[in-house]
Amino acid sequence: MAYDDLFDVGRGRSFMGLFDDLSGTKIAQDRYDVYVNEDYIGQKFLLTAQESVQDIDDFLKNEGINQFDSYVDGDHYYIKAGADKQRVEDVLKVYLQNR
């Protein structure tokens, strides 16, 4: 028996149904690329259903950083920081590495 016959490859069928409905599947965790003023800082992984990418805003505010705007665009999270740009970057690098 040939390999193609074993798995029905080439006959329009996929490997025993393993890949039939990819649209209904969800990855195990969501991930966002984080940017400060267009500079890539790192990735934020949402490990539980209670987590949100906006948790970054709460963290920054807890660190005393209040002068910023943020928005989500697909799987990218953009933070527009003013004069505190370097401090925002430094704080976020530590935050994203520890999560």
Side-chain angles (χ1 to χ4, degrees):
M1 175 177 278
Y3 181 83
D4 288 350
D5 293 334
L6 181 63
F7 291 105
D8 292 322
V9 174
R11 294 193 177 101
R13 292 163 56 193
S14 60
F15 298 91
M16 296 185 242
L18 292 176
F19 304 106
D20 286 347
D21 185 23
L22 290 178
S23 63
T25 61
K26 182 177 183 322
I27 59 173
Q29 61 191 9
D30 290 331
R31 174 192 53 80
Y32 291 89
D33 293 328
V34 179
Y35 296 83
V36 174
N37 294 4
E38 305 297 323
D39 293 332
Y40 176 77
I41 302 301
Q43 295 180 328
K44 166 73 174 159
F45 292 93
L46 305 182
L47 303 176
T48 67
Q50 293 77 25
E51 285 186 288
S52 166
V53 71
Q54 284 84 14
D55 292 345
I56 293 173
D57 293 356
D58 295 335
F59 177 77
L60 289 174
K61 290 175 184 175
N62 286 338
E63 292 295 312
I65 301 170
N66 295 304
Q67 301 290 325
F68 67 91
D69 293 314
S70 59
Y71 66 95
V72 175
D73 183 18
D75 64 348
H76 292 75
Y77 193 66
Y78 294 99
I79 298 171
K80 176 75 172 152
D84 287 342
K85 177 187 181 284
Q86 190 60 50
R87 182 162 182 250
V88 171
E89 287 180 357
D90 293 343
V91 167
L92 282 179
K93 283 178 185 176
V94 172
Y95 172 76
L96 295 173
Q97 288 175 358
N98 290 335
R99 298 283 168 181

